[in-house]
Amino acid sequence: MADEETQSTFAKITGLVVAGAVAWIAGKAVDAAWKAASGHKPPKPEDDDDPRVAEVVAAAAITAAAVTVARVFATRGTKKFVERVDRNRRLPKA
């Protein structure tokens, strides 16, 4: 029972850290790509200037898509990693 709880806690913590890091990296990648393509940073809610609605919608859609795809791959990879760690912990000691 304790092993299952430890694995579950380990999986949750690892998944949270990896998903957060991957989402941050994806956001930074979108910012860099947007700046390279348009010459300026994507619009943010706290910007003083008044960006066009189409630009705001495009930036939001691209960022959301990139972050979602990155999180899916990170979650799958983390699940495989945790399963491998758990499987190695259960191997009999020689």
Side-chain angles (χ1 to χ4, degrees), residues 9-78:
T9 302
F10 176 70
K12 289 177 185 177
I13 292 171
T14 304
L16 181 65
V17 170
V18 170
V22 166
W24 181 80
I25 291 168
K28 292 297 182 181
V30 169
D31 287 352
W34 187 280
K35 188 171 183 178
S38 69
H40 60 86
K41 292 182 179 181
K44 302 280 185 200
E46 60 272 359
D47 289 346
D48 290 334
D49 57 342
D50 192 21
R52 295 186 329 220
V53 172
E55 188 176 25
V56 172
V57 171
I62 292 168
T63 302
V67 169
T68 300
V69 169
R71 287 184 63 202
V72 166
F73 286 119
T75 301
R76 289 179 183 177
T78 302

Side-chain angles (χ1 to χ4, degrees), residues 1 3 10 14 17 19-22 26 32 44-45 52 56-57 68 77 79-80 83-85 87-88 90:
M1 182 75 170
D3 284 343
F10 176 70
T14 304
V17 170
V22 166
K44 302 280 185 200
R52 295 186 329 220
V56 172
V57 171
T68 300
K79 182 179 176 186
K80 289 179 183 179
E83 287 172 352
R84 191 175 338 134
V85 168
R87 187 174 50 246
N88 289 339
R90 293 178 191 214

